[in-house]
Amino acid sequence: MIGLLKGMATTMKHALDGKTFTVEYPDVAPEVSPRFRGVHKFSQERCIWCRQCENVCPNDTIQIVQDDQRNGEQYNLHIGQCIYCRLCEEVCPVDAILLTQNFEFTADTKDDFVYNKEQLKNVPWYKDIDPLASREPDRGAWIGEGEGEVDYQ
Amino acid sequence: MPVPLQATGTATPTGTAANGTAGAAPPSAPLADAISGLLGGGLLGDVVGALLGAFLIANLMLIMTAVAGPWAKRKITAAFTDRIAVNRIGPFGLLIIVADAVRLLSKELVIPDGADRPAFDIAPIVLPFSALLGFAVIPMGNGIHLADPETGLVFAFAASSIASLGLIMAGYASNNKYSLLGGLRSIAQNLAYEIPLVITAASVVIFTGTLQMSGIVAQQTETLINVGGIRIPQWFAFVNPFAFVLFLAANMAEIGRNPFDIPEAPTEIVAGYQTEYGSVYFVLFYLGEFIHIFLGGAIMATLFLGGPAGPILPGFLWFIIKIWAFFLFTQWARSAIPRVRIDQLIEIGWKGMLVLSFANLVLTAIIVGVIA
Amino acid sequence: MSLEEPSPDAGAIEAVPQTADELADLLGDRVLDREEHVNAPGFVVRPDEVQDVLFTLRDEAGYDHLSCVTAQEYEDRYESIYHLKKYDDPTDEVSVVVPTPSDAPVSQTAEPVYRTADWHEREAYDLVGIDYDDHPDLRRILLPETWQGHPLSRDYDQSRPQVVALREHANPLQEDQRAGDGDTMFLNIGPHHPATHGVLHVKATLDGEQIADLESDIGYLHRCEEQMCQQGTYRHQIMPYPDRWDYISAGILNEWAYARAAEDLADLEVPEYAQVIRTMSAELCRIASHMLAVGTFALDVYGDFTAIFMYAVRDREKVQNILEDLTGQRLMFNYLRLGGVVWDLPEPREEFFEKIRDFLDDLPESLEEYHDLITSNEILQSRTVGTGVLPPEVAKSYGATGPVARGSGIDYDLRRDDPYGYYDELDWDVITDDGCDNFSRLFVRLREVEESAKIIEQCVDILEDWPEDERTIQSNVPRTLKPEADKEIYRAVEAAKGELGIYIRSDGTDKPGRFKIRSPCFSNLQTLPEMSEGEYVPDMIASLGSLDIVLGEVDR
């Protein structure tokens, strides 16, 4: 019996102290950490069309079309299919594709989620936060030496 | 339905008037008579008075249920779980009641293949019907008391147990094994806890000597003791707290609420007897359950908490406060107490509660015999 | 590897053979050939002597834990590999390799030796196509019963879609129900059910309210994870997938299983700083996972969405906030890489440490609340004490690991017995409880949260004092990682639900040749009939809750 009453007392305490854990979204914007992986932003100016992002994507979500002179024509990314693993940003040597913190995106059909170059360029920064700044410290943390031969390809 | 046993027209409302004697006040139908008095009396006046009175009380109860179901339950549960629940539509989110009503009623009424048709359709009506029937004899203060027969208490219990019939009909007629399990469980539970409930109520009757609801309420307005100028009335909860706790537990089991909410244990048998019901039928079941909670609270208030009695505020408001307090208690228990298993439930009912309620009865008889 | 002395409390057994040569002597001429896997010696045996060999290894050499059964198809043969370990010493492993010919792959079942093999062999039959003689019930387990072909075998056309008509999926007990004496009732619990923790289908035969027979039907969440990992490169592409096996916040633990297996396969080093970060984030995941386990268990026993579930979810949210700051995501972290972690701690470091320390300070109070609401509640005790009983011997033969095994008194924890990461340098305890029932499993989980908190606190202290120029988060790993061909490894870590093991066979390319996941929930779920036959339906629901299964991991 005592255990029961203790349990009831605990819940009543929670009821009476009036603190809530939930936030009233969308009136109150939730806190998003600077490293949050949201929608991608692509910059054609920086891209060197090396196709590493397309190569590394686990999902085949990125599609790049080049003409026969290896000029980049299309860069399509299906943000509905993407699993937001950030491998494309990681392997990109020039930071041409980044993941912003923007998580609020909508479309009417699933096909509308295939973003081309233009749409990817126009993805807004979430609250004007530059995500690269949050990754800056990693440039200071070095990739160390290992025991095996250095074998970069 | 309420039939005044006296001559029509001029029966005195015996709501909160202190009647003193432990004896049967003449049975009457205060509300019906008041209305028919306004209309001029006669047979037509009586019939119209009775119907109108029933209409008013039923509406009152349904309004309270409508507030309790979609709105208050969510707000209370949210308070216990550190959340803010419905707060967008309307002031304090009250228009959620309208939104919920429209939503539920606009759903497709799905009748499962092989359902036993008349029983399937009648079951959701039986549940709220039985509870509303019970409200006919509850004294709510300020003359709002639809009927006051000599055997009011027995009528209240009898009316509320018609609900078991509804549950078993729903469980069986749904052509669904989960519903059947739920229906059988609910019948076992109702049977097990009906007897301790009635016997504990009987111990109250030993005190009052009358089964008439107004008499029971009137008995409780007498003074128990005077503590420093504050007069503590003779509420049976104070006189016999053991019976109060026993009745509380048996009541929770009768209406199917935690820790005894086995008939509709959602995580075990999906939704028990309610599994196959959608749209209107579901609304009826949902409302019916809440009306039953309020009926249980009302009977408890009448028997143990002095009915519509209390300082300053009019009796009716105190009555509402008391039944809402009971509702809050059920929600509190729901948040904090786990569910017992069916065999443990039956064991507690037949071995534990029955013995305790009989002991309580004997004890009360002794006390009354010694004192009076 | 396996060159240690026998453990001192091995009882009255005389010198138990431990080295590979001693085992070869023990098995005598049943050994056709010897292989060397990275983690264990392998003995090739004939397909019709499997039980003989396994009985010898179990009874005379003390290998009482069948960790995993891997099946694969080479160009010229099929192969089943039985990975055996000891509960007392999981670093002592041996693999029994059973090759079978390509045209008639039939091998003897190991089910009489270890009950674990029941479901594992069914899965091997289902996905690869090896037949097991004398198996009590060789049916498909992950794919629908009317599926044609075996997806992971070489002759399966993976580009051709297949539509399975479920109308042919007959109810095997239908006739019995009508023609029999009608004493029992067949009830389908799930896959749509509020309490089955995902899409699990339990076929229960009820005698009144008691369960006469119970059978789990899994495979509703089969997402071909093994095949997808076989199509991804080691270096980058496989790493997002382990998050999705046990998706209830245990992402980093799953990723660590893969990282450990691949790093040992390719001989990669991990810097110590990265090990500490890995340990800390893994224990945070463990807390989140156990919180949810406790919350959903309360959900099953108390009824919908009561206070305890909400409090558990609230505590889990706090952990997820910390992990979001660290890794960038709240559930699918993709934080570990081969050779280390991908990011250092977020700047400013002091803020991050303070956040963790605040969380750890609030944790004892929250745990007090849980103990008030759950463990000291009499009704819950009467519901869970003595129900869902799993005796330790039965648990061992089913290969149960994790809190399920520790709740039955088996002292098995890979963090301590087969150390990886930074665990062996920290001060913490393994929680076991001898109750063997639902309550003890719940209790073990609540206490493990405290132990994880201890580990995290120590890690935070260590990280705070780490000198700034020695913070290497990743050792250098080539962009394209191609381990030597025909190297096989089986490595396991202590995931939130138990022993999560991965078997990888490399074939010289940058993608694995065979990738087999040994999921703890798969073996734990197999114990459900043992626990609940003869008990009531509510007890079965409580047992299912206390097993804490995640269908993503069971079905992969």
Side-chain angles (χ1 to χ4, degrees), chain B:
Chain B
M1 288 311 267
V3 172
L5 291 175
Q6 256 193 337
T8 63
T10 52
T12 47
T14 50
T16 50
N19 207 330
T21 56
S28 59
L31 184 62
D33 295 334
I35 297 179
S36 100
L38 285 174
L39 296 173
L43 185 61
L44 185 65
D46 279 343
V47 169
V48 172
L51 286 174
L52 216 56
F55 176 75
L56 282 173
I57 291 199
N59 263 3
L60 181 71
M61 283 304 125
L62 284 173
I63 290 175
M64 286 217 309
T65 311
V67 171
W71 186 80
K73 171 179 150 168
R74 291 180 188 169
K75 276 295 207 188
I76 296 173
T77 314
F80 282 118
T81 55
D82 288 341
R83 290 179 295 135
I84 316 163
V86 285
N87 65 342
R88 288 206 176 272
I89 310 181
F92 297 110
L94 278 168
L95 283 186
I96 194 77
I97 303 172
V98 176
D100 251 3
V102 170
R103 166 180 74 99
L104 283 171
L105 292 175
S106 65
K107 290 193 176 184
E108 180 186 349
L109 188 67
V110 175
I111 311 280
D113 197 26
D116 200 346
R117 264 329 277 272
F120 187 78
D121 298 314
I122 295 178
I125 302 179
V126 170
L127 195 68
F129 164 73
S130 61
L132 286 174
L133 195 60
F135 267 109
V137 295
I138 307 281
M140 300 188 208
N142 299 118
I144 306 180
H145 184 183
L146 188 56
D148 195 15
E150 268 178 349
T151 55
L153 189 62
V154 178
F155 177 79
F157 281 130
S160 77
S161 18
I162 299 178
S164 334
L165 188 65
L167 295 182
I168 195 85
M169 279 164 65
Y172 182 74
S174 297
N175 194 24
N176 179 338
K177 288 177 195 163
Y178 287 117
S179 308
L180 186 65
L181 275 177
L184 293 176
R185 284 178 173 191
S186 82
I187 256 294
Q189 180 177 318
N190 274 358
L191 280 179
Y193 285 87
E194 190 77 47
I195 300 183
L197 190 75
V198 174
I199 293 182
T200 312
S203 79
V204 169
V205 173
I206 293 184
F207 262 118
T208 64
T210 172
L211 283 170
Q212 198 171 12
M213 296 293 240
S214 53
I216 298 177
V217 166
Q219 278 279 297
Q220 295 186 55
T221 54
E222 296 178 16
T223 313
L224 185 58
I225 40 173
N226 250 309
V227 176
I230 304 176
R231 181 187 141 255
I232 299 191
Q234 193 186 345
W235 287 0
F236 293 129
F238 301 143
V239 173
N240 194 353
F242 182 57
F244 178 56
V245 171
L246 219 55
F247 193 82
L248 189 65
N251 218 353
M252 303 277 277
E254 271 304 302
I255 57 183
R257 271 296 180 182
N258 275 50
F260 307 114
D261 74 339
I262 297 191
E264 46 150 80
T267 57
E268 294 166 22
I269 46 177
V270 189
Y273 57 86
Q274 290 176 12
T275 317
E276 293 288 346
Y277 287 93
S279 181
V280 181
Y281 290 156
F282 175 71
V283 174
L284 284 171
F285 268 121
Y286 195 59
L287 288 183
E289 191 182 322
F290 279 100
I291 303 181
H292 265 285
I293 297 180
F294 282 126
L295 180 65
I299 297 181
M300 174 169 312
T302 311
L303 282 178
F304 287 98
L305 296 175
I312 308 170
L313 296 171
F316 181 62
L317 265 161
W318 269 115
F319 180 74
I320 302 278
I321 290 176
K322 284 170 194 171
I323 58 178
W324 272 90
F326 181 69
F327 177 69
L328 245 132
F329 181 76
T330 58
Q331 291 305 108
W332 185 17
R334 184 165 196 260
S335 295
I337 304 186
R339 179 189 298 147
V340 298
R341 213 170 53 204
I342 184 72
D343 63 324
Q344 294 167 342
L345 175 83
I346 305 296
E347 218 177 281
I348 298 176
W350 289 108
K351 291 193 204 166
M353 299 273 297
L354 194 64
V355 170
L356 285 176
S357 59
F358 270 117
N360 175 46
L361 189 68
V362 168
L363 194 67
T364 315
I366 293 176
I367 292 180
V368 168
V370 163
I371 294 180

Side-chain angles (χ1 to χ4, degrees), chain C residues 136-293:
Chain C
D137 184 20
L138 194 67
R139 286 176 291 140
R140 290 186 177 273
I141 189 168
L142 292 178
L143 298 172
E145 283 174 6
T146 47
W147 192 273
Q148 304 293 322
H150 302 278
L152 289 182
S153 65
R154 293 174 85 93
D155 54 357
Y156 187 81
D157 183 1
Q158 296 186 345
S159 56
R160 187 175 56 98
Q162 191 182 140
V163 177
V164 174
L166 290 178
R167 210 176 306 131
E168 298 159 32
H169 196 118
N171 177 353
L173 290 182
Q174 187 113 38
E175 281 70 28
D176 295 346
Q177 191 189 346
R178 300 280 163 86
D181 52 9
D183 241 357
T184 57
M185 176 169 89
F186 176 74
L187 187 67
N188 279 318
I189 301 183
H192 283 128
H193 192 98
T196 56
H197 291 263
V199 276
L200 171 69
H201 178 202
V202 174
K203 300 183 195 165
T205 313
L206 300 179
D207 175 16
E209 279 261 346
Q210 281 180 317
I211 295 182
D213 188 30
L214 190 78
E215 197 200 314
S216 327
D217 177 19
I218 61 177
Y220 287 86
L221 199 51
H222 181 62
R223 296 164 291 174
C224 323
E225 292 279 344
E226 294 179 4
Q227 181 178 328
M228 290 208 290
C229 290
Q230 282 170 210
Q231 290 171 337
T233 60
Y234 289 103
R235 178 73 172 92
H236 283 121
Q237 288 184 327
I238 298 184
M239 200 44 107
Y241 287 114
D243 286 327
R244 286 145 171 92
W245 301 340
D246 176 0
Y247 43 68
I248 314 245
S249 299
I252 295 194
L253 294 159
N254 303 348
E255 288 178 25
W256 205 343
Y258 169 64
R260 190 178 186 207
E263 281 157 10
D264 286 349
L265 180 70
D267 255 332
L268 301 170
E269 287 251 320
V270 180
E272 212 176 331
Y273 185 63
Q275 296 280 33
V276 182
I277 300 186
R278 276 186 179 184
T279 309
M280 182 185 75
S281 50
E283 289 304 309
L284 278 169
C285 276
R286 195 185 304 273
I287 292 184
S289 177
H290 282 325
M291 283 282 107
L292 194 71

Side-chain angles (χ1 to χ4, degrees), chain C residues 14 29 56-57 76 115 117 138 140 150 156-158 174 261 297 311 339 341 381 397 428 475 497 507:
Chain C
E14 343 80 60
D29 56 356
T56 314
L57 283 172
D76 54 348
R115 289 285 296 139
L138 194 67
R140 290 186 177 273
H150 302 278
Y156 187 81
D157 183 1
Q158 296 186 345
Q174 187 113 38
F297 182 74
Y311 300 159
V341 296
Q381 285 172 358
S397 101
W428 55 281
S475 65
K497 322 288 188 211
D507 57 358

